[in-house]
Amino acid sequence: RVPGNYHVRLASRDDESALSEYFGSADRVRRRLDRGDFCLIACCREEIGAAVWFAPGPASYVDDWSDIHGCFEVPKGAVWSYDGKGTRFGAWGSMMATLPQYLRKWEAECVFTAIDYHNGESLRGHQSLGYRRLGMLHSVGLPGISRIACKRDEDAWSRLPVVWERLQLTA
């Protein structure tokens, strides 16, 4: 249920300035909008209280390249969810309450996302929405050298590429 003081909708180009302020980077917001990603926002009195980005498949997500040196390949029928942020009480829940209607619009059967292992609050919140862990990534790096180890929950650690259900992570 969406509280009456929040209006949840997809952001448009008219919101670019507010999104840039909210996420702290006009260039990043512009790149995301230019490639066709969607940003779902929850506003109270026209101020963004929560926002999350989506890339409906088929899509390639490389924004985390500097951290993981990999590319998430999102198949048709799925969406990649990323860079979610909530700053006002109740805004995130309001946004998640409307998410199913957007998933139907995008013809998405599932949502994939990456969450930092140490972010227990986010992990618990996503699990309460029906998310489940498919696997783990571990980045090991020294100056000039970086390696990613991956595993599905039931498998041993391995290097890229890896496939988790229909989501692929490639080098």
Side-chain angles (χ1 to χ4, degrees), residues 48-114:
I48 299 174
V52 61
W53 290 90
F54 293 97
S60 297
Y61 178 78
V62 296
D63 284 16
D64 293 331
W65 183 268
S66 62
D67 294 327
I68 64 169
H69 300 285
C71 174
F72 290 99
E73 298 291 342
V74 183
K76 181 177 172 60
V79 296
W80 181 255
S81 169
Y82 66 98
D83 210 5
K85 180 179 175 182
T87 52
R88 297 189 100 179
F89 183 76
W92 186 262
S94 297
M95 203 169 51
M96 290 299 101
T98 66
L99 181 57
Q101 76 187 49
Y102 292 100
L103 295 177
R104 283 189 295 276
K105 179 179 177 181
W106 298 325
E107 298 178 352
E109 302 161 358
C110 61
V111 179
F112 293 105
T113 192

